[in-house]
Amino acid sequence: MTKDELSTEIKYPPCKLACPILTDVREYIQLIAERRFEEALASIRNLNPLPRVCGRICTHPCEAACKRGQVDEPIAIPALKRFAADGPWKGRYKAIMPDKSTGQKVAVVGSGPAGLAAAHDLALLGHHVTIFEALPVLGGMLRVGVPAYRLPKNVVDEEIQAILDLGVEVKTGVRIGEEIKLTDLSEQGYKAVFVAIGAHKDRKLGIAGEDGFEGVVSAVSFLKAVNQGENPKVGKKVAVIGGGNTAVDSARCLLRMGAETVHMVYRRSRDEMPAAKEEIEEAIHEGVQVSYLTSPVEIFGEDGNVSALRCIKNELGEPDVSGRRIPKSVPGSEFTIDVDMVIAAIGQAPDSSFLDNELTERDKRIYVEDPYALMTTHPGVFAGGDAVTGPATVVEAISAGKRAGISIDLYLRGEPLPTTEQMEAVETAKLSPALIEKTRKFARCSKISLPAEARLKGFDEVDAVLSEDLATKEALRCLHCFLGARIDKEKCISCLTCVRVCPLGIPTTTKMGEIAIDPFACQACGMCVLECPVRAIDISLDPHSKIAREIEWAISRSQQVEPVIVGFFDLHGNFRSSDVESLRQDYPNILPVMVFGLRRVDTSDILKAFEFGADGVLLAGCPSDTDPFPETADRVKRRMAHARTMLEALGIDGARLEVCDMPDEGLVEKELIDGLIQRIKGPGQAR
């Protein structure tokens, strides 16, 4: 099934469709918003074996597709993934292992993200997996290519260890093709092989002087030396040729290692630069100088060492096959940069020479017969990741490893391998200008980073993990694609109530007079659900039955402290996790039920709380400045007034129902709680 088919049949949100491994981004962000952090991590780990890595260095195509980005700024998805994956609950996650082993042995050649992902999934399917790694350490480019200020080594260690704990065997320092041939693996009992050797071989610049002077270094070899603690010698004035993440990593490392000036020389404009936007910004912030629309022409030297780099300016012509415009030299625009070191970072290729022609290659990459199944021309031998596609992203490599895991499992069971058409990017639907105007804007959370001067003193991680309170506040910015109102057309009487009460004008009428609600545009405010006179609408985000279940669950866990009060608290309030804990300690008789706004709480919910045994009900709405739908406030007040009338009609004192707005900070004023308790207990009784 293609992503286009998925988008029309299953109604995945754009963030999920944009993810190469179809991570349910919306789900774990929703769980973070509800402060269910362990469940958020479990949601991520169900698909992604390297969540802490991706939370730091993923290029986040999900964020680029985020609907919130059409309104103000997209959700800070990688920061939220890192928060969920880095939290103190991370050690409590346990993968579900199969009841018994299949007895089948699989060899994985290479321990980069593709190899690790394949090993992880195959182990969970019950196969015995052995990773063969040429280097003395595991991780591939995660270990030797990404600097510690972006990806600390202890994070890589812990992510890998979690995979090894599934029973994966490791053999480091073994170069398949030299010590052991691919054909030898089958003789050792391996029924399938996954080749994921990455792309560790640098491309040459192809200019005069490249091979003639000391100080011309490949980016891959430079980063490997840095990451393995070899402390390579760096120049004072350095030019880095290239515009990808490897070039940016090299430039930022150079500043940390004592280079006085670092020039990045890139042949296209900034818009065409393949490095992550935020990485480019961080490099410039730290002091890297970037020369756009510039190509190197020749390297000069004195006494055998690099002394200068001759460059020429470019202008952009027509787009090439990748969609980027082709740079063309501008005659007479040559200029020279004084440098004593040049780092070439113009791309990498897989070094498959050691495989000794055991696998078919095309365009210097390992050839696979199907881009999804990933089997090579040798039955039982699969390949994926950078070795097949050329240098790509971490999450794309993980995707390749997971696809290989599926194919290998099917192959070992004697079933047909999956095939698919080439997946095309699904364009995110556009919100109308009117809807964008009506949608309330909330600022994206600011990341917490080391100051530039502190960064350059070493390789400490630049960005800090979000706090619980920042993470939940950011998660609450989600617009809930496809989690909104759903109409039961059998019940709907086309009374237009939903059209009148929706604060965003989402419901419309068709030519036949039927009500239609765009599931992509709907932001799940919930007003129409409770205002519909025939209960023809429900909501996927918070089905009406969910609140009733949570009330019953909360009362069942009460500590028999009287009076028992069910407290509905709006998650959009400016409260901290410590405020919730303080409430539980100071008022154990208050049973919190967290909701996405009092507009979701119906009269029947309040009555049900009393029916289940509550002595009182407290409803605390969020302050107006944090309410995404302030237009609904009057209707909510009328609904609460109606609830009081219903209570009185049933012989329950309406004073046992307290409705208030949260303070600017915190959950609720203590005086208000004390007053409610006093009214419930009656005159003359102390708390």
Side-chain angles (χ1 to χ4, degrees):
M1 182 176 287
T2 66
K3 282 190 175 182
D4 187 58
E5 290 170 329
L6 286 171
S7 70
T8 56
E9 292 185 11
I10 304 178
K11 295 299 183 186
Y12 284 166
C15 52
K16 180 169 183 173
L17 281 172
C19 177
I21 59 174
L22 292 177
T23 301
D24 199 338
V25 177
R26 182 190 63 192
E27 179 180 72
Y28 73 75
I29 287 179
Q30 181 69 26
L31 290 167
I32 292 172
E34 296 178 22
R35 297 176 184 258
R36 294 157 61 187
F37 304 134
E38 285 190 49
E39 293 174 67
L41 173 58
S43 172
I44 299 167
R45 282 290 275 112
N46 284 339
L47 278 177
N48 191 337
L50 299 169
R52 298 179 71 193
V53 169
C54 287
R56 288 166 165 83
I57 66 171
C58 182
T59 52
H60 48 76
C62 52
E63 193 171 294
C66 176
K67 181 172 80 177
R68 167 60 83 170
Q70 298 182 43
V71 175
D72 39 42
E73 293 184 273
I75 307 297
I77 296 174
L80 291 177
K81 178 183 271 114
R82 178 181 169 186
F83 165 78
D86 265 18
W89 47 82
K90 63 180 180 293
R92 296 196 285 270
Y93 174 80
K94 298 296 181 186
I96 300 174
M97 297 297 294
D99 294 332
K100 60 180 181 179
S101 169
T102 64
Q104 304 274 31
K105 292 174 63 178
V106 181
V108 173
V109 182
S111 64
L116 291 170
H120 171 272
D121 287 11
L122 287 164
L124 291 178
L125 289 166
H127 304 299
H128 180 79
V129 183
T130 303
I131 295 176
F132 293 86
E133 171 56 57
L135 294 171
V137 292
L138 299 179
M141 292 301 283
L142 297 178
R143 167 76 63 179
V144 299
V146 184
Y149 64 80
R150 288 181 63 204
L151 182 61
K153 301 312 169 194
N154 68 297
V155 171
V156 179
D157 290 340
E158 291 168 15
E159 295 270 73
I160 292 174
Q161 189 58 52
I163 295 171
L164 300 186
D165 288 344
L166 303 178
V168 174
E169 185 182 0
V170 172
K171 294 184 179 181
T172 55
V174 178
R175 193 172 177 84
I176 298 297
E178 293 181 355
E179 294 94 334
I180 304 173
K181 301 289 186 183
L182 280 177
T183 51
D184 296 335
L185 293 173
S186 61
E187 296 174 4
Q188 296 180 15
Y190 293 99
K191 302 300 183 182
V193 179
F194 178 49
V195 179
I197 56 175
H200 294 240
K201 186 177 179 181
D202 273 301
R203 289 172 53 196
K204 288 277 194 177
L205 292 171
I207 61 175
E210 181 176 11
D211 299 318
F213 305 105
E214 189 74 25
V216 181
V217 182
S218 76
V220 169
S221 61
F222 172 70
L223 290 173
K224 281 183 178 179
V226 171
N227 284 294
Q228 294 184 90
E230 296 176 8
N231 196 28
K233 180 182 176 182
V234 302
K236 294 297 182 184
K237 300 178 180 180
V238 189
V240 179
I241 315 300
N245 284 324
T246 300
V248 175
D249 285 344
S250 299
R252 295 177 71 186
C253 283
L254 286 162
L255 290 175
R256 286 162 170 77
M257 299 179 72
E260 295 175 357
T261 60
V262 177
H263 290 267
M264 282 186 63
V265 176
Y266 180 57
R267 61 183 183 149
R268 290 185 169 100
S269 71
R270 179 165 174 170
D271 290 341
E272 282 86 9
M273 210 166 179
K277 178 183 176 182
E278 57 267 33
E279 291 301 311
I280 301 168
E281 292 172 350
E282 294 288 10
I284 294 171
H285 178 64
E286 290 173 3
V288 174
Q289 301 173 42
V290 186
S291 297
Y292 302 106
L293 292 169
T294 303
S295 292
V297 175
E298 184 176 359
I299 298 172
F300 299 106
E302 294 179 2
D303 301 324
N305 297 307
V306 171
S307 63
L309 177 69
R310 186 77 167 164
C311 301
I312 190 167
K313 299 298 291 184
N314 297 325
E315 59 184 9
L316 295 179
E318 296 299 315
D320 61 13
V321 291
S322 71
R324 293 185 299 168
R325 290 180 293 169
I326 300 171
K328 297 181 179 180
S329 300
V330 177
S333 64
E334 293 89 346
F335 65 98
T336 300
I337 305 174
D338 291 332
V339 295
D340 54 11
M341 185 178 186
V342 173
I343 291 185
I346 60 169
Q348 298 103 251
D351 182 7
S352 56
S353 58
F354 59 89
L355 294 176
D356 195 25
N357 297 320
E358 291 186 273
L359 297 179
T360 302
E361 289 187 274
R362 289 187 183 176
D363 299 323
K364 298 183 179 179
R365 299 172 186 173
I366 297 174
Y367 172 72
V368 294
E369 295 185 321
D370 181 272
Y372 192 89
L374 298 178
M375 185 183 280
T376 68
T377 52
H378 291 248
V381 179
F382 300 77
D386 291 0
V388 171
T389 62
T393 65
V394 168
V395 73
E396 287 172 318
I398 292 172
S399 174
K402 294 180 72 65
R403 296 200 309 274
I406 293 170
S407 295
I408 290 171
D409 181 61
L410 291 171
Y411 173 80
L412 294 175
R413 291 193 276 120
E415 297 184 16
L417 301 185
T419 58
T420 185
E421 299 173 9
Q422 183 66 35
M423 289 189 179
E424 297 180 358
V426 179
E427 185 175 346
T428 301
K430 298 298 182 184
L431 300 176
S432 69
L435 179 55
I436 292 173
E437 182 63 29
K438 290 179 181 179
T439 302
R440 192 160 188 188
K441 279 68 172 174
F442 291 102
R444 175 179 164 123
C445 70
S446 298
K447 64 180 182 179
I448 305 166
S449 304
L450 288 174
E453 60 274 13
R455 302 179 189 187
L456 301 185
K457 293 178 180 178
F459 281 78
D460 290 343
E461 189 168 14
V462 167
D463 294 330
V465 67
L466 297 178
S467 66
E468 284 190 16
D469 301 312
L470 278 176
T472 50
K473 187 174 182 179
E474 179 63 20
L476 285 165
R477 296 178 64 238
C478 178
L479 295 179
H480 312 304
C481 303
F482 301 111
L483 281 181
R486 295 173 283 114
I487 296 179
D488 184 339
K489 295 189 180 295
E490 296 296 321
K491 292 181 178 179
C492 180
I493 58 174
S494 298
C495 65
L496 304 184
T497 299
C498 56
V499 176
R500 289 193 296 271
V501 302
C502 178
L504 301 176
I506 302 297
T508 57
T509 55
T510 67
K511 292 180 179 179
M512 301 298 294
E514 293 183 336
I515 300 296
I517 296 179
D518 182 349
F520 176 72
C522 178
Q523 296 176 17
C525 79
M527 279 300 297
C528 60
V529 176
L530 300 187
E531 297 290 331
C532 177
V534 293
R535 289 291 191 262
I537 306 176
D538 205 350
I539 194 167
S540 299
L541 174 64
D542 252 343
H544 197 165
S545 58
K546 179 182 176 184
I547 293 179
R549 289 196 304 270
E550 291 191 2
I551 295 169
E552 187 173 16
W553 181 84
I555 291 178
S556 70
R557 291 174 60 87
S558 66
Q559 301 177 24
Q560 305 302 316
V561 180
E562 295 184 352
V564 175
I565 299 173
V566 171
F568 294 96
F569 296 98
D570 192 334
L571 283 161
H572 292 90
N574 285 323
F575 61 90
R576 300 165 298 176
S577 53
S578 58
D579 295 323
V580 180
E581 292 305 314
S582 295
L583 179 73
R584 290 193 174 108
Q585 292 175 10
D586 297 342
Y587 297 96
N589 51 327
I590 294 183
L591 311 176
V593 174
M594 297 299 183
V595 294
F596 281 86
L598 297 190
R599 61 189 167 275
R600 297 180 186 274
V601 181
D602 194 13
T603 300
S604 62
D605 298 318
I606 296 169
L607 297 177
K608 199 168 287 293
F610 284 102
E611 178 187 337
F612 287 152
D615 299 304
V617 172
L618 168 68
L619 297 111
C622 66
S624 59
D625 64 339
T626 62
D627 190 347
F629 306 104
E631 307 91 338
T632 64
D634 288 343
R635 286 188 174 273
V636 171
K637 288 178 182 177
R638 289 199 295 270
R639 191 185 302 153
M640 296 305 114
H642 176 65
R644 270 203 186 89
T645 302
M646 292 289 292
L647 289 174
E648 297 283 359
L650 293 169
I652 300 172
D653 185 359
R656 290 174 178 245
L657 172 62
E658 178 67 62
V659 183
C660 66
D661 290 331
M662 293 182 185
D664 290 338
E665 293 184 1
L667 276 170
V668 64
E669 300 289 355
K670 289 190 175 183
E671 292 80 3
L672 190 146
I673 299 176
D674 291 337
L676 176 59
I677 292 174
Q678 186 65 40
R679 292 196 299 275
I680 294 171
K681 287 185 172 183
Q685 296 189 53
R687 176 187 161 198

